[in-house]
Amino acid sequence: MKTFKKVYIEITSICNLACTFCPPTERKATFISVDSFAKRLDEIRPHTRHIYLHVKGEPLLHPKIDELLDISHEKGFKVNITTNGTLIAKNRHKLLGKPALRQMNFSLHSFDGHLGSTDREGYLREILSFVRDAAEHKVIFSFRLWNLTQNNITNIQKSRNRQTLAIIEKEFALDYQIEEKVEPGSGVKIAERVYLNQDHEFQWPSMTAPRDEGRGFCHALRSQAAILVDGTVVPCCLDGEGVINLGNIQQASFTDIVEGERANAIVEGFSRREAVEELCRRCGYRQRFGA
């Protein structure tokens, strides 16, 4: 039986921002029900103990995020949440002290990626306040600034990042500028269980993106799988539109789906360093692992 380091469970396809780097989903806007979430945990239990509550959508929009965390703990799962951070003040009471919560990733690049953003200081203040209060619960935090370009970044974005980093440096009393320590694609530890990662702007794979010869490797269905909010199982967290539909968890078991012919063909293909799915041939992330 396949085991995964993590399984992504999308709990909503809805987001409260419209970031330039994240194309809006064309799928139905919906939230997962508490019962459906519990059933999905039972389905994936033989395969993993670590879940990530996102693919597309903003997980803190889910009105019952606290119940989802409680159920995750009851069933023995550790939870990672990736959020744009704008709703942290409204949800802090639903998150603090939840034993299932292992890690929170804050996509700080979403502040500048969303054209309507205002009050950078207030935005970061609420996030940092939550981080301070959650520190005693041993949650891991990752601040993400994924807005570099291949030609580095514009002076405008560099200035915006400096404003963000200066606030973080002051919060943690750092005696250095973070840019001096962090390399693109990696992170720097800035406090106990607190990290900052910078990377190039994220590109979602698309069937309209350029196609290459398909050489390369990917961890899809080898270390991860994902379940969209409607139950569609996909190979990884990058298939935000469910293009590689391996099956639906409401019609077949998760085990049967990830052990199925199409799923196995994907894994076997990447063992040969070959992308067999059309979307995979149009995914730039695969190139990170070499040809």
Side-chain angles (χ1 to χ4, degrees):
M1 179 176 288
K2 288 191 178 102
T3 57
F4 304 109
K5 286 173 64 177
K6 55 198 172 189
V7 172
Y8 293 83
I9 300 182
E10 184 184 68
I11 60 175
T12 180
S13 56
I14 305 168
C15 190
N16 62 320
L17 300 184
C19 295
T20 55
F21 56 81
C22 186
T25 180
E26 296 178 6
R27 294 182 285 117
K28 181 182 177 183
T30 188
F31 293 96
I32 197 171
S33 70
V34 173
D35 286 346
S36 292
F37 181 77
K39 288 175 184 174
R40 286 176 198 182
L41 293 189
D42 290 336
E43 288 270 355
I44 68 170
R45 182 182 279 173
H47 300 272
T48 192
R49 282 292 188 272
H50 288 265
I51 57 174
Y52 287 56
L53 300 187
H54 66 281
V55 174
K56 285 286 188 78
E58 167 52 51
L60 297 191
L61 275 174
H62 199 292
K64 296 184 177 179
I65 185 70
D66 49 347
E67 291 183 44
L68 303 188
L69 286 169
D70 289 340
I71 291 168
S72 299
H73 177 62
E74 289 167 13
K75 294 182 180 292
F77 288 89
K78 288 297 183 182
V79 177
N80 285 34
I81 293 176
T82 296
T83 173
N84 59 45
T86 57
L87 303 173
I88 196 66
K90 188 180 294 186
N91 286 278
R92 58 186 294 130
H93 66 288
K94 295 183 178 182
L95 302 171
L96 285 172
K98 294 296 185 185
L101 186 58
R102 174 187 173 271
Q103 179 169 331
M104 289 197 68
N105 306 313
F106 289 99
S107 298
L108 302 185
H109 48 280
S110 61
F111 182 85
D112 291 316
H114 178 68
L115 300 180
S117 295
T118 59
D119 190 13
R120 182 187 310 272
E121 210 163 311
Y123 165 71
L124 291 168
R125 184 172 58 246
E126 297 290 3
I127 291 173
L128 293 169
S129 171
F130 176 81
V131 171
R132 278 195 302 273
D133 290 345
E136 64 185 273
H137 302 291
K138 303 194 183 306
V139 179
I140 300 167
F141 293 99
S142 174
F143 299 132
R144 295 176 171 179
L145 271 177
W146 290 1
N147 56 12
L148 303 179
T149 65
Q150 295 302 325
N151 301 315
N152 212 321
I153 52 178
T154 65
N155 288 333
I156 293 174
Q157 191 55 55
K158 193 171 184 179
S159 171
R160 290 170 175 166
N161 282 358
R162 176 91 296 273
Q163 293 173 51
T164 294
L165 295 173
I167 293 169
I168 293 172
E169 289 159 4
K170 182 178 179 182
E171 169 70 20
F172 294 99
L174 302 183
D175 59 0
Y176 58 87
Q177 289 196 341
I178 290 171
E179 300 100 312
E180 299 168 2
K181 302 270 187 175
V182 67
E183 291 290 330
S186 65
V188 59
K189 184 177 181 178
I190 58 177
E192 190 64 30
R193 293 184 296 277
V194 181
Y195 302 84
L196 186 135
N197 298 81
Q198 277 204 284
D199 209 337
H200 293 97
E201 183 174 306
F202 182 78
Q203 298 291 327
W204 287 91
S206 164
M207 292 298 284
T208 61
R211 182 183 190 271
D212 63 25
E213 76 286 354
R215 299 299 298 166
F217 180 79
C218 181
H219 293 282
L221 294 171
R222 195 177 299 267
S223 66
Q224 64 166 283
I227 308 172
L228 302 182
V229 68
D230 68 353
T232 300
V233 178
V234 292
C236 71
C237 63
L238 305 187
D239 188 358
E241 291 305 299
V243 174
I244 307 175
N245 183 343
L246 300 175
N248 193 292
I249 205 165
Q250 299 181 76
Q251 279 96 45
S253 73
F254 182 77
T255 299
D256 285 347
I257 292 170
V258 298
E259 297 284 358
E261 184 178 341
R262 189 176 184 184
N264 285 332
I266 292 170
V267 175
E268 290 163 7
F270 282 125
S271 293
R272 304 188 302 269
R273 306 193 78 78
E274 176 188 347
V276 299
E277 290 283 346
E278 191 63 28
L279 184 68
C280 299
R281 290 173 175 263
R282 300 171 187 270
C283 178
Y285 201 84
R286 167 175 47 82
Q287 297 161 3
R288 296 186 180 205
F289 304 107

